[in-house]
Amino acid sequence: MSKHYFKSALIAASLLASPAFAQVNLTAETASSGGSTHLSAAHLTEIAGTSGVANIQLAEGQTLTNSLQNVAEGSTDIASTPHILPFLMSRGVGPYGKLGKEKGAELASNLRSITPYTLGIFFLYAFDSKGINGWDDLEGKVIFNGPPRGGALNNARTMIELITGLKDGDGYTGIQSNWGQATAVITGGEPDGVVLPELFPNSRTATIGSAGKITAWSMPKDIYESEAMQKYMKAPGSASVEIPIADLQKNMGEDWTFVSEDGTFRALATIGGDVVNKNMDEELVYNLVTAYIGSLDALKAKAPFGETVSYDNPAWGMCGANPMKYHKGASRAWEDAGYEVPDCAKDNS
């Protein structure tokens, strides 16, 4: 048992033993099942109930742009979100364009983080039968790069351009489909290669892997370390990630082969977390997050990707241009459990 887990478990046990500990009713919204966002919210719902902290009514399959606004407005208690959404809300742009800058900034100022996670990691992969030899071999190829619109498509296109100099429609042909059809499009053989945010593994990579041998390529080290790429990976909602090839190979199995120059897989990650309104009671948030931290080992064990999505890294992607701060109760819970929360990620208001 890790020292973090042991200390958190003791704190959670002391909470349960307190006769003054009162259970409350909360609402939460998250995405459809199968990813890190849903798993985090579903686990929080479970552990909050079993530990006696709160009864959480969880609505699944929600549009997270709306869920985030609901929390900011106070009509929902907890929501899952990629961190790019609070940034866009704070400026009144993108899906929050109708709010305007002033109203968007006002609402975004109500949001506070409680837990972290990785939503997906962008990288290039292809069936071996396609004969692709890596990032330098994309010119003239057909690349599946996401849904018809949104952050995933923008990230994939930007990554390809920064790494290869090629633009969608001018150097390679990008094709898109909605997320529900992505697996069928890839296994159907139309694209030569794929650049999508994936987990190691998720349901899509598991299905695709069963259809044939696949090779995945790390971002080239010189590109990864370049000023342009480092700047891009520090944008709100993004982070750089390095994972030992051996760990990926163990998680993904013999259907997948991972390639890098030096045994380290480098990529762009999309990050986010569960959020609450800043006005949620501090002790309630502390108790919720303490119970969550105390059960992190159980959370990670619930999915094959559990160890690779940074559920236990509250510093992940915070600070810089990311406007999100941790709720005071949350940062106290993480620190009491032995984790480091950067000062720039704390709510000092």
Side-chain angles (χ1 to χ4, degrees):
M1 179 180 288
S2 70
K3 65 179 181 179
H4 289 312
Y5 180 86
F6 182 71
K7 186 173 182 180
S8 301
L10 289 177
I11 296 171
S14 68
L15 292 174
L16 290 174
S18 172
F21 200 49
Q23 193 161 326
V24 299
N25 295 317
L26 300 173
T27 56
E29 299 181 25
T30 191
S32 299
S33 61
S36 55
T37 53
H38 177 274
L39 185 60
S40 177
H43 181 75
L44 179 63
T45 297
E46 176 188 340
I47 201 65
T50 57
S51 64
V53 178
N55 291 315
I56 301 177
Q57 181 179 352
L58 179 64
E60 304 173 341
Q62 302 302 298
T63 301
L64 298 185
T65 51
N66 297 335
S67 299
L68 186 71
Q69 187 169 338
N70 291 341
V71 170
E73 292 173 342
S75 59
T76 297
D77 296 304
I78 305 167
S80 306
T81 186
H83 279 167
I84 186 61
L85 291 183
F87 175 79
L88 296 176
M89 179 185 286
S90 70
R91 284 156 174 73
V93 297
Y96 304 107
K98 291 183 179 180
L99 292 175
K101 185 175 181 179
E102 184 175 347
K103 183 63 175 179
E106 177 187 343
L107 287 177
S109 71
N110 292 333
L111 298 167
R112 297 293 184 272
S113 289
I114 58 172
T115 63
Y117 44 72
T118 304
L119 286 84
I121 296 174
F122 285 84
F123 60 99
L124 168 67
Y125 63 90
F127 285 112
D128 291 355
S129 59
K130 291 292 184 178
I132 289 210
N133 296 310
W135 291 99
D136 292 337
D137 196 24
L138 299 191
E139 187 169 5
K141 300 297 195 299
V142 176
I143 305 298
F144 186 93
N145 54 7
R149 63 189 62 84
L153 177 62
N154 290 336
N155 278 330
R157 283 173 168 167
T158 301
M159 271 189 64
I160 293 171
E161 184 173 355
L162 288 173
I163 295 171
T164 70
L166 303 175
K167 295 184 178 181
D168 191 343
D170 182 16
Y172 73 96
T173 300
I175 60 171
Q176 300 86 39
S177 76
N178 63 47
W179 288 119
Q181 297 174 324
T183 300
V185 171
I186 296 167
T187 57
E190 183 178 0
D192 297 307
V194 181
V195 178
L196 288 180
E198 306 285 14
L199 299 178
F200 300 113
N202 57 17
S203 58
R204 182 167 53 243
T205 57
T207 301
I208 293 168
S210 67
K213 299 294 185 180
I214 296 174
T215 297
W217 289 270
S218 168
M219 193 184 299
K221 185 177 180 181
D222 59 336
I223 299 294
Y224 178 85
E225 294 177 346
S226 69
E227 182 178 353
M229 184 60 76
Q230 285 294 314
K231 181 179 180 180
Y232 183 72
M233 292 190 294
K234 291 177 181 177
S238 298
S240 57
V241 62
E242 300 181 22
I243 306 173
I245 290 285
D247 291 350
L248 292 180
Q249 204 66 66
K250 181 178 67 175
N251 284 355
M252 298 293 281
E254 61 184 15
D255 293 326
W256 286 75
T257 298
F258 292 87
V259 177
S260 80
E261 299 103 312
D262 58 0
T264 297
F265 197 84
R266 299 173 176 85
L268 165 72
T270 301
I271 53 98
D274 295 327
V275 300
V276 299
N277 192 286
K278 68 179 182 181
N279 294 320
M280 183 177 282
D281 179 75
E282 183 175 337
E283 287 305 308
L284 173 59
V285 174
Y286 178 84
N287 294 333
L288 280 170
V289 177
T290 295
Y292 182 91
I293 296 169
S295 61
L296 279 172
D297 285 355
L299 167 61
K300 294 176 186 178
K302 287 180 176 178
F305 56 75
E307 293 285 352
T308 65
V309 294
S310 299
Y311 283 131
D312 56 358
N313 185 1
W316 185 229
M318 302 298 285
C319 303
N322 186 349
M324 291 303 297
K325 307 285 186 183
Y326 277 100
H327 191 284
K328 292 178 180 179
S331 57
R332 183 158 60 93
W334 283 106
E335 290 186 324
D336 282 355
Y339 295 84
E340 181 180 354
V341 178
D343 287 341
C344 53
K346 296 178 184 178
D347 177 9
N348 296 315
S349 61

